[in-house]
Amino acid sequence: MTRGDEAALHAFVEGRRTALFRSAFLLCGNREEAEDLVQTTLVKVVLGARRHGRLDSLEAYARKTLVNTFISARRRFWRREHAYGEVPDLVGRSVDSDTGLMVRAALAELTPKQRAVLVLRYWEDLSVAATAQVLDMRESTVKSHTARGLAALRAVVREEYA
């Protein structure tokens, strides 16, 4: 890899870190886990770019790596349990609107793939075809995950406001 490629890779990592974090936070619902997810994703992107020379689209590769890493982590049993010696202090969290809290809580109840589809479709503003390509799914599967995920979100909102 040339110095120019290394500089472009460094600029990409610095420029996309915040956007990847926002998507990761919507996927995880947890700041620390989202930071770990972004860090793991960026390491994989850098190693992949160095191994394969130059990737055609770092943006698409990073997005796909982020989602695949998230889904893979959700399959592991040890990620489902969180042991605490003491109850975590929640006072330090920033104030958020009720709607934002409700949406993130509803997203947390979805399956990882439904959550990934909704984040890619509505947060990343990808088309059905682009989302299908990132997740290696058929377009019809993306559409069904979208419909089921939105139905679940609507149910939570109706329940909250009932």
Side-chain angles (χ1 to χ4, degrees), residues 134-147:
V134 167
L135 296 174
D136 286 330
M137 292 179 175
R138 298 165 89 188
E139 288 185 24
S140 59
T141 306
V142 170
K143 290 176 185 178
S144 66
H145 279 311
T146 301

Side-chain angles (χ1 to χ4, degrees), residues 1-77:
M1 198 170 232
T2 66
R3 284 187 180 193
D5 289 342
E6 283 289 332
L9 185 59
H10 180 74
F12 173 80
V13 167
E14 290 300 317
R16 291 298 297 158
R17 180 184 304 266
T18 302
L20 287 171
F21 174 77
R22 288 179 183 143
S23 294
F25 184 77
L26 287 174
L27 289 168
C28 301
N30 178 315
R31 182 177 182 82
E32 292 79 22
E33 190 177 346
E35 288 171 352
D36 291 344
L37 179 59
V38 169
Q39 186 66 29
T40 302
T41 297
L42 290 175
V43 166
K44 288 179 179 181
V45 167
V46 168
L47 292 176
R50 288 181 179 160
R51 181 178 34 239
H52 300 298
R54 185 169 182 186
L55 295 173
D56 294 337
S57 175
L58 280 176
E59 178 69 31
Y61 184 67
R63 190 178 296 123
K64 183 171 187 165
T65 302
L66 178 79
V67 171
N68 287 342
T69 303
F70 166 74
I71 292 171
S72 173
R74 291 293 185 216
R75 289 184 182 135
R76 294 187 202 124
F77 175 74

Side-chain angles (χ1 to χ4, degrees), residues 56-122:
D56 294 337
S57 175
L58 280 176
E59 178 69 31
Y61 184 67
R63 190 178 296 123
K64 183 171 187 165
T65 302
L66 178 79
V67 171
N68 287 342
T69 303
F70 166 74
I71 292 171
S72 173
R74 291 293 185 216
R75 289 184 182 135
R76 294 187 202 124
F77 175 74
W78 61 269
R79 286 295 239 175
R80 295 182 202 148
E81 293 187 27
H82 299 286
Y84 295 103
E86 298 176 16
V87 177
D89 184 15
L90 301 177
V91 176
R93 291 196 176 180
S94 62
V95 177
D96 197 8
S97 70
D98 291 339
T99 305
L101 290 171
M102 184 185 355
V103 169
R104 285 195 295 280
L107 279 172
E109 293 180 20
L110 300 178
T111 66
K113 286 190 179 183
Q114 285 176 343
R115 196 174 328 158
V117 166
L118 291 179
V119 168
L120 290 173
R121 289 279 292 123
Y122 298 106

